[in-house]
Structures are given as structure tokens and as C-alpha cells.
Amino acid sequence: MLAARLKVREGSVTPFHVVTAGSCLVTSGALPAIHIETGDVIVFPRGDQHVMASDPELAPVPIQQIYSQPSKEQIAVVKYGGSGPPARFICGFLHSDQRFDPLLKSLPAVLCVRSRDDTLTLETLDGSGRRVQPITHQQEKEWWRASLRYLISETATPGPGHRAVLARLAESLFLELLQWQLRYVAQGHGGGWLAGLYDAQVGPALTLLHAEPDRSWTVEALAKEVGVSRAALAKRFVELVGESPIQYLAGWRMHLAQHLLQDSTLGVGEIAGRVGYDSDAAFNRAFRRLVGSPPATWRQAKTSIGPN
């Protein structure tokens, strides 16, 4: 709903909430309720619909009834509720015009950073359960708290250029979250694309596909480069990444092609060659099948909309 109201692509919005005072319960789909309070930051990497309430028995009110005119140009102050203890939040979102699905799909549905006294923890929640990862590096804890204080103060007293500052701060905080999650996966926790990066077989295969997307890859050729059997690589790749190496390669090529179509003046034919297609026709067919429209049409639509 947020994506539609902001007129951006569905699935490209990552909302977050910073609790500056009070507390509330947050629910998302069938996941257990999560309690957040002052100092917490909760993030929904894939933009999953969620409900924030003081009492889970209350009937949820759609956000458009509370905040009718969202704007990407200015910060709005929204007040809602009854006579109970107040809770205050800074709410925002990250927007990716070229989201990378394997990364987002490998992240938990909910990420929550909790700051208590001298402790900082990353709590994650998804269908497989709740996990808590302590952040032990003192410099990282200090950076997080200082950045969060700066974000809160910049929101409270906006001045010239504050939108750019807030955007960079939000991006930096999210990247720090990704770094913590990467570290957690590297220690052997969890699976998915992130785990694939650290796998002895899948990791080198992903590196090769990323580095040489224009190469005429087959699973057999990829397995030979990695030094394992074709069957072993194919099985392990699907287990961790969720699709075959060739399916993954097609998606990666489209991701690169979208960047080139939007951010360069290269012709469609040259882009086709750079991402591994030996003809415009083959590239057009693949792009239409995976993205939904021909590359020239997609580029024209993006140009007419302009940058977000």
C-alpha cells in the first residue's frame, strides 16, 4: 500500500520505525507479536504489512485513514490515539529502484535493533523463529547510538539539506544491519543467498556468475571451474539459493541490464552483449519474460517517470 501511495514499484520499499518514547506491540502476518520500546529500531526488509498497537485486541486502522497525504518531499507530523501512555516514533522508508531479490529474500522478515544500557542486540524474526545476536564491538555500538541520536535530532529540527542527510543516515544504518546479518550467517547461522556466499561450493560459483555474467555459462562449466561435480553443485545451489545456477544467472543479468538501461546511454544491443546475450532478439525475449516488458519500453517508462 505504501509503494502504491508513493507511486513506486511494489516490493521496492523497506519501512522502518525508530521508537523515541514509549512502547508498542508490532505484529506482521502470522509471526508472533514483538514488543518495541524507546531506543529500538524495527525494519521490514521486504515491506511486509504490519500493525503497530498499544493493545493487540484493538482493531487496526489503515494508515491512509491516519496519514492521508504521504510526501517524499517533507516530513509530516501525525498524531493518533486515545488517552493512554503516549508512544512516539520516527517512521521512514528506504526505496530501491533496482532491488536485488536474492538479498532481500534471504533476510529475515523483521529486523529489530535493541539498545539497553551498554548492550546492543540484533533481533530477527521470521517463519523459522526468533534469534538474538549481541553486538559486541564497542565501536559499532557507539557508532550506532551516535548515528541514531543524529537522525532523531535532524528530524526534530530540520534545516537546509536535512532530507539528504536523513537519507544518507538511513542508508548507513541499514547497511550496518546488513553487515551484522552477514556476520551472523558467516558464523554458520541461517541459510539462503547470504549463506551461499560463504559456502565452499556455492560461494565461488556466485563469484564467477557475478564477475562474468556475459560468459556462456552451463552448470557443467561452472562446476568445472569450482572443482566439484555438476550434480553436487546443482543440488547445493538450489538448497541454498532456491533456484538453479542458470536461473540465478538470468536474474542477475536482468538486474545488471536494468541498471544499464536506466543509468547509461548505451544502446539496447550493446547492453545485450554486456550481459551475455548474442542477439537483440534473445535479450528482448529474456527481458520481457523476466521483467514484464521489452527493454526499450521499460527504459522509456523509467525515463518518463524520472528519478525517485
Side-chain angles (χ1 to χ4, degrees):
M1 290 190 296
L2 180 60
R5 297 175 73 211
L6 293 168
K7 298 181 180 179
V8 297
R9 187 167 68 90
E10 182 181 355
S12 66
V13 173
T14 295
F16 64 86
H17 309 286
V18 180
V19 189
T20 60
S23 64
C24 80
L25 286 171
V26 182
T27 56
S28 180
L31 297 176
I34 183 170
H35 181 263
I36 57 174
E37 56 187 81
T38 305
D40 291 347
V41 178
I42 190 165
V43 182
F44 299 85
R46 294 182 292 276
D48 291 353
Q49 192 173 72
H50 53 280
V51 176
M52 303 171 69
S54 57
D55 186 331
E57 300 301 319
L58 293 171
V61 178
I63 187 65
Q64 60 262 37
Q65 293 184 24
I66 303 169
Y67 182 24
S68 59
Q69 297 294 328
S71 172
K72 292 184 287 184
E73 306 303 322
Q74 60 184 4
I75 298 172
V77 177
V78 179
K79 296 182 180 181
Y80 180 81
S83 57
R88 297 185 177 90
F89 311 90
I90 294 172
C91 305
F93 66 91
L94 294 162
H95 169 238
S96 174
D97 208 34
Q98 305 285 340
R99 83 173 200 167
F100 187 48
D101 285 340
L103 171 61
L104 289 179
K105 287 178 180 177
S106 70
L107 292 175
V110 181
L111 298 165
C112 182
V113 182
R114 300 188 186 276
S115 182
R116 301 287 185 275
D117 299 323
D118 191 46
T119 65
L120 193 71
T121 57
L122 172 61
E123 185 174 326
T124 64
L125 187 64
D126 57 24
S128 62
R130 190 190 309 263
R131 300 179 182 86
V132 177
Q133 173 192 358
I135 308 303
T136 57
H137 294 70
Q138 189 61 32
Q139 286 184 328
E140 292 180 359
K141 293 193 289 186
E142 292 172 357
W143 179 89
W144 179 270
R145 292 191 174 108
S147 299
L148 205 56
R149 286 195 299 269
Y150 190 15
L151 179 101
I152 293 169
S153 65
E154 189 69 18
T155 306
T157 55
H162 78 281
R163 287 184 64 242
V165 172
L166 288 171
R168 299 292 84 77
L169 277 171
E171 289 174 2
S172 297
L173 289 164
F174 185 65
L175 287 173
E176 189 73 2
L177 276 177
L178 289 182
Q179 177 178 299
W180 292 338
Q181 186 65 15
L182 274 167
R183 184 188 301 158
Y184 185 68
V185 171
Q187 293 169 353
H189 307 289
W193 181 83
L194 287 177
L197 293 177
Y198 294 95
D199 185 78
Q201 298 175 7
V202 176
L206 285 170
T207 298
L208 286 167
L209 294 178
H210 287 177
E212 301 180 68
D214 57 335
R215 186 167 162 181
S216 298
W217 287 108
T218 63
V219 179
E220 186 174 359
L222 191 61
K224 184 177 180 180
E225 291 277 0
V226 174
V228 297
S229 72
R230 179 188 183 282
L233 177 62
K235 181 176 182 293
R236 187 64 174 161
F237 204 100
V238 172
E239 285 176 353
L240 289 179
V241 182
E243 58 186 348
S244 73
I246 302 308
Q247 288 173 321
Y248 180 87
L249 174 62
W252 176 240
R253 284 172 169 175
M254 291 305 105
H255 180 76
L256 296 176
Q258 286 174 303
H259 270 292
L260 291 171
L261 286 165
Q262 188 165 348
D263 300 333
S264 78
T265 57
L266 296 174
V268 171
E270 188 171 353
I271 292 173
R274 288 196 179 196
V275 298
Y277 293 91
D278 55 10
S279 72
D280 290 9
F283 176 55
N284 271 272
R285 285 194 300 271
F287 197 95
R288 182 194 289 270
R289 184 178 71 255
L290 294 172
V291 180
S293 63
T297 304
W298 187 90
R299 169 182 261 177
Q300 185 176 13
K302 288 293 178 180
T303 303
S304 63
I305 291 173
N308 289 306

